[in-house]
Amino acid sequence: MNWAALDREERAHHELRVLATDAGQPRRSATAAVRISVRDRNDHAPRFPQGALRPQVLEGQPSGTLVTTVFAKDFDSGNNGVVLYSIESEEDIGSFQIDAVSGELRTTRPLSHAERSNYRMMVIAKDQGMPSLQGRAALYIQVIPLPNEKSGFSQHFKHFVIPENFKPAQVLDSLKVPSNHGTLNRKLHFSIAKDDNIHFEIDSLTGDLYLSKELDYETDSHFLLQVIIKDYNDPPQNSTVFLSIDVEDKNDHSPHFQDDLVVIGIEENVPVGTLVYTFNAKDGDGGFLNSKIEYSLEISNTGENPFLIHPLYGTLTTASPLDREITRSVILTVFAEDQAVNLTDRRLDSLAVKVVILDINDNSPSFMSSPLSYVMEDVEVGFFVHHIIAKDPDEGRNGQVTYHILSGNENKAFVLDKITGLLTTAQFLDREVQERYSLTVIALDDGSPALSATQVLTIIVLDVNDETPRFLKQLYETAVLENRDPGEFVVRVEAVDRDAGLNSLLQYEILPGAGYEKFKMNSESGELVTAASLDRETQEVFSIKVLVRDSGTPSLSSTVTVICTVLDENDHSPTFLLPPSEIFIPENQQLSVVYIVRAVDMDAGNNGALRYKIIGGNVGEYFILNNTSGKLLITRSLDREDISNFTLVIECYDLGSPSRSSSAQLYLTVLDENDHSPLFEKTQYQISVTEDLEEGSAILDLSASDGDAGLNGEVMYSLIDDTYGAFAIDSVTGSIITTKALDREIKSQYMFRAVASDCSTHFPKSTTVSVVVHVDDVNDNDPVFLQNPIRVFVPAETAVNETVASVRAEDVDLGSNGAIVFNLMMAETVFQIDVKTGDIILQEPLASKAFSTQLLVTASDQGIAPRTATAVVIVFTEGQEEGISFSHSLYEATVPENSAAGTSLLTVEAYEHKFTGEDIKYSIFSDQEIFSIHPVTGKP
């Protein structure tokens, strides 16, 4: 509770001495030092020491001209004291900009007095606290016009910088008239315009400018002087020169701490990064770097520094965990140094800091005394047993330790003094009742909250010999395998003696009895082993008496009986009851039992318990064998065409350890079923043959396979669909042959199906395949004229190169076999024929109007062995009449195939236009041997 408001800026630390007094008689008291650090609150707004600013700037200066530098102070610390600048105005402020950090106000363009003679704006200084505070200062900027008069001076404007510590009465600058300007006797008068700055004076005669008053950058950082020069010569001339003077800030203020010594208390359990204290040094300089402070620290000793200071904000934080028990306090020196450009000009201040590490109850008591103690069982009540000691490195009540028994003392055998840690007996002890006590002792400090440690204190009660050895069992039953070598472990008998030391040291031995010579005993461990190989068939059970005695004086002893059963050894292998046999299984049979394997084993128990398994030959995992019943099952349908037989290797083994086994082979044959259709090598057959192929020629050999066996796999072939009597197939070989001569001009392609059928007696299967036979052309047809003979009437005045007739012929063969060329059989000068078109062209004028002639024209195909036909072309002029004419220009007849020679087809008839009395004779003009005509009657 505080009775007055705290102000960190007036006093950052308070140190109190607190007295605590109890109400006892006599009263007891204690004191404690309380160190209070006042944390900063953002309760100070930035403040401008200059108040309202009225800088002047000469018109026409380039963009970026410095107008003034503003700065504000904020007495808060950290971000609460970091100031940023900005400007605002109800008018346009686009002509100026301010550096937010340094406070330099500069123009953004050349200014014009005629355009605007003054500007008014507000400078805002805003700190970075939360919430933020701000200060304001009015800024009145006057734009000074350039003079219009001519001057003898080289420039109307001069700018220079003078340091803040420039001494008064020294010449700053001199306004001189150039040496080439007029006479040396020219009379001038220099003066500074009224109301201009009082810090400067000028010699009215020489023009020397003096500093009349000390400068302070923090008050005024920029001056604009108007110097008026009056010329008293004839003619008189006046001129004005503007002097722009920037005051250069000098680092003439050192950073300053409010205190010379700060004592800080920090608890040792704070996490790394905890804020310990915020240092706040002030610097009276106005320049940004001259007043910018950076903090650093040094530790007074060479130990590790557990603290870290922020160079800008001055915040001191923990950099590593603190431990009062290792380091009780740390002496630091904190430095505050400004950041002047020249390292030699930098100033600093230092502050001694003592950081006291405050104790936290962070250490539990630690036991120093032994966790083991011994006591005789016959000691008196109140006997001192053990001194429990625990240490706690914490201070004060945090380090005061008291002792308590948490558990293990349920029968109240001991008493523990909670202050001294002395443990004594509270009753008589009896080792035979309890020979060991495990007391869980807690050591508890007086901190808040209290910390503790526990220790299990073991108290061993020492023995007096008064107990007889006793076996852990009243009867031991065990078993051992027959045929084992001597030394086989049988059983370990164990007795206990509640005494200790030699009184509990036991010795074992075998007492004489039936078969006892076959065993021997380890006198120390109680292990019973065989002295000879045992035979179960000779004696199956042994009863052995074992005695145990302690090493006391006199010795005490007891006996126990061991029943040992001789176990059977697995010395018989399983034997299969049936000799290996062959099993027939139909293919495609579903899951079923196909055989039961049986074997016997003469051993007993697990040695005679049999199991079966397949160890070989189970290709494809088609079979499983029930390991107990011996039933052999198929897992899925068998396919004889995949695997036709199996030879399974069956193993039968007993469950003895180690197991004994026998094996046998089982032969299985898969019986065929007609489950495959014949399969042709192709899905379709296409073949080309020539039409002149002889009857009975083989054109294609079909082949179909059938995966079945026997008759199910034998294949027969046949044809379906109409082959027009042209083809047949060999039912056994599958060879397709021609059964008659082929004629492409009658049928050029045959399509039919071939069938492959197996010879199964039950539900035979078949497959069909399509066969396409292409008949290729052979040059076996003569060209045929469409008209023969041809009569042509030609006018006598027909011009040369005129076509007088056209011969047409056809050949039913294909390609070159059917391509026709025309020729004249005899050389002819009057006419010529076109070999391709058959056009007959007049080559010479006709000799007379009574001209007539006969032309023999041949038509030949282009086959390898060309075939030819001949036609007669009768040419005569229009003045002549035809002597003989047929009754029809075309005769057609039909004849059945295989007609006998001499069969009459038709009769042709011709007549004379003028009777001559001569007989008309008939003949066949073309070369052929199949047909004939009677020369007189015209009958064939």
Side-chain angles (χ1 to χ4, degrees), residues 854-908:
Q854 291 186 358
L855 302 177
L856 296 180
V857 179
T858 62
S860 304
D861 60 31
Q862 301 299 303
I864 295 177
R867 301 176 73 93
T868 304
T870 306
V872 177
V873 178
I874 302 171
V875 181
F876 51 88
T877 59
E878 291 181 333
Q880 291 185 332
E881 294 185 357
E882 188 177 11
I884 300 174
S885 297
F886 283 98
S887 60
H888 297 87
S889 61
L890 175 65
Y891 295 87
E892 292 183 334
T894 301
V895 60
E897 66 175 336
N898 302 321
S899 296
T903 301
S904 177
L905 301 180
L906 55 82
T907 300
V908 299

Side-chain angles (χ1 to χ4, degrees), residues 359-421:
D359 183 53
I360 294 296
N361 191 20
D362 58 347
N363 287 278
S364 299
S366 176
F367 284 93
M368 310 300 293
S369 56
S370 171
L372 180 64
S373 181
Y374 299 90
V375 62
M376 297 295 295
E377 63 177 325
D378 57 352
V379 297
E380 298 293 331
V381 175
F383 182 80
F384 168 73
V385 178
H386 193 64
H387 187 193
I388 300 171
I389 302 173
K391 300 293 183 181
D392 191 320
D394 289 321
E395 281 186 326
R397 300 183 65 175
N398 294 337
Q400 294 178 2
V401 180
T402 57
Y403 306 93
H404 309 273
I405 299 175
L406 292 180
S407 63
N409 195 31
E410 286 75 11
N411 60 357
K412 309 297 182 182
F414 302 95
V415 174
L416 176 62
D417 189 299
K418 69 176 183 179
I419 303 300
T420 63

Side-chain angles (χ1 to χ4, degrees), residues 572-640:
H572 291 85
S573 297
T575 302
F576 286 93
L577 293 179
L578 297 178
S581 58
E582 185 175 5
I583 301 170
F584 297 96
I585 307 172
E587 68 173 331
N588 302 319
Q589 181 171 321
Q590 299 302 313
L591 179 66
S592 61
V593 177
V594 297
Y595 187 71
I596 299 178
V597 180
R598 297 191 183 280
V600 293
D601 192 318
M602 300 303 294
D603 292 319
N606 282 342
N607 295 335
L610 302 182
R611 296 292 183 268
Y612 304 92
K613 66 179 177 179
I614 301 173
I615 62 173
N618 192 11
V619 179
E621 302 295 330
Y622 280 97
F623 299 94
I624 57 174
L625 182 62
N626 188 295
N627 67 339
T628 56
S629 67
K631 291 181 179 180
L632 181 67
L633 298 91
I634 56 174
T635 60
R636 59 186 188 277
S637 297
L638 297 171
D639 187 352
R640 191 206 61 80

Side-chain angles (χ1 to χ4, degrees), residues 543-561:
S543 179
I544 307 165
K545 277 286 192 186
V546 177
L547 178 140
V548 62
R549 60 164 54 93
D550 62 26
S551 300
T553 304
S555 175
L556 299 177
S557 64
S558 61
T559 62
V560 72
T561 299

Side-chain angles (χ1 to χ4, degrees), residues 387-650:
H387 187 193
I388 300 171
I389 302 173
K391 300 293 183 181
D392 191 320
D394 289 321
E395 281 186 326
R397 300 183 65 175
N398 294 337
Q400 294 178 2
V401 180
T402 57
Y403 306 93
H404 309 273
I405 299 175
L406 292 180
S407 63
N409 195 31
E410 286 75 11
N411 60 357
K412 309 297 182 182
F414 302 95
V415 174
L416 176 62
D417 189 299
K418 69 176 183 179
I419 303 300
T420 63
L422 296 177
L423 183 71
T424 58
T425 58
Q427 58 184 248
F428 290 106
L429 304 178
D430 185 352
R431 196 201 66 82
E432 283 70 38
V433 175
Q434 187 170 351
E435 67 173 341
R436 179 187 298 264
Y437 293 85
S438 294
L439 304 182
T440 301
V441 180
I442 183 172
L444 186 70
D445 65 24
D446 201 22
S448 180
L451 299 179
S452 63
T454 59
Q455 181 188 63
V456 177
L457 175 61
T458 301
I459 301 174
I460 298 175
V461 182
L462 302 178
D463 177 58
V464 173
N465 186 21
D466 56 358
E467 297 291 332
T468 299
R470 295 186 182 276
F471 284 98
L472 297 183
K473 296 181 181 180
Q474 294 181 351
L475 175 68
Y476 286 88
E477 293 182 310
T478 186
V480 64
L481 288 171
E482 64 175 333
N483 302 323
R484 297 297 180 181
D485 292 333
E488 181 74 11
F489 175 79
V490 178
V491 72
R492 182 177 182 268
V493 297
E494 186 176 1
V496 294
D497 191 325
R498 297 178 63 188
D499 291 325
L502 291 176
N503 295 331
S504 63
L505 183 62
L506 304 179
Q507 298 287 324
Y508 301 90
E509 60 182 275
I510 301 174
L511 297 178
Y516 81 101
E517 71 281 356
K518 295 184 180 293
F519 300 90
K520 63 180 179 179
M521 174 69 73
N522 186 308
S523 62
E524 294 181 356
S525 67
E527 285 189 357
L528 182 66
V529 298
T530 60
S533 179
L534 303 180
D535 186 357
R536 185 186 65 86
E537 289 71 27
T538 303
Q539 184 174 348
E540 187 174 359
V541 179
F542 292 87
S543 179
I544 307 165
K545 277 286 192 186
V546 177
L547 178 140
V548 62
R549 60 164 54 93
D550 62 26
S551 300
T553 304
S555 175
L556 299 177
S557 64
S558 61
T559 62
V560 72
T561 299
V562 177
I563 303 299
C564 178
T565 301
V566 181
L567 300 178
D568 180 56
E569 186 179 47
N570 188 18
D571 51 0
H572 291 85
S573 297
T575 302
F576 286 93
L577 293 179
L578 297 178
S581 58
E582 185 175 5
I583 301 170
F584 297 96
I585 307 172
E587 68 173 331
N588 302 319
Q589 181 171 321
Q590 299 302 313
L591 179 66
S592 61
V593 177
V594 297
Y595 187 71
I596 299 178
V597 180
R598 297 191 183 280
V600 293
D601 192 318
M602 300 303 294
D603 292 319
N606 282 342
N607 295 335
L610 302 182
R611 296 292 183 268
Y612 304 92
K613 66 179 177 179
I614 301 173
I615 62 173
N618 192 11
V619 179
E621 302 295 330
Y622 280 97
F623 299 94
I624 57 174
L625 182 62
N626 188 295
N627 67 339
T628 56
S629 67
K631 291 181 179 180
L632 181 67
L633 298 91
I634 56 174
T635 60
R636 59 186 188 277
S637 297
L638 297 171
D639 187 352
R640 191 206 61 80
E641 289 70 36
D642 185 15
I643 303 176
S644 61
N645 55 72
F646 297 85
T647 300
L648 299 181
V649 181
I650 308 299

Side-chain angles (χ1 to χ4, degrees), residues 176-303:
K176 302 293 185 180
V177 179
S179 59
N180 61 349
H181 192 280
T183 64
L184 297 177
N185 297 325
R186 191 174 184 183
K187 186 177 181 182
L188 302 176
H189 182 272
F190 300 87
S191 64
I192 298 176
K194 187 174 65 173
D195 297 332
D196 275 358
N197 198 283
I198 62 174
H199 287 80
F200 302 93
E201 292 182 358
I202 193 169
D203 190 302
S204 60
L205 298 179
T206 63
D208 291 336
L209 182 67
Y210 295 88
L211 179 67
S212 60
K213 183 180 178 181
E214 288 187 349
L215 299 174
D216 186 357
Y217 175 87
E218 289 71 35
T219 303
D220 293 296
S221 61
H222 180 75
F223 299 93
L224 182 64
L225 303 182
Q226 184 178 1
V227 179
I228 301 172
I229 305 173
K230 294 183 178 180
D231 186 351
Y232 292 105
N233 294 298
D234 188 18
Q237 293 182 357
N238 294 336
S239 61
T240 301
V241 176
F242 290 94
L243 303 180
S244 177
I245 303 172
D246 288 333
V247 180
E248 180 184 41
D249 182 47
K250 288 299 181 179
N251 193 18
D252 53 355
H253 293 82
S254 297
H256 175 67
F257 288 104
Q258 285 184 324
D259 303 304
D260 295 328
L261 172 65
V262 174
V263 179
I264 306 168
I266 182 72
E267 293 178 338
E268 62 178 323
N269 65 337
V270 297
V272 175
T274 298
L275 176 64
V276 179
Y277 190 79
T278 301
F279 296 97
N280 187 22
K282 300 297 181 182
D283 192 311
D285 287 314
F288 170 63
L289 293 178
N290 291 338
S291 62
K292 180 183 178 182
I293 296 176
E294 286 195 2
Y295 298 90
S296 60
L297 60 82
E298 290 181 358
I299 189 169
S300 60
N301 52 39
T302 58

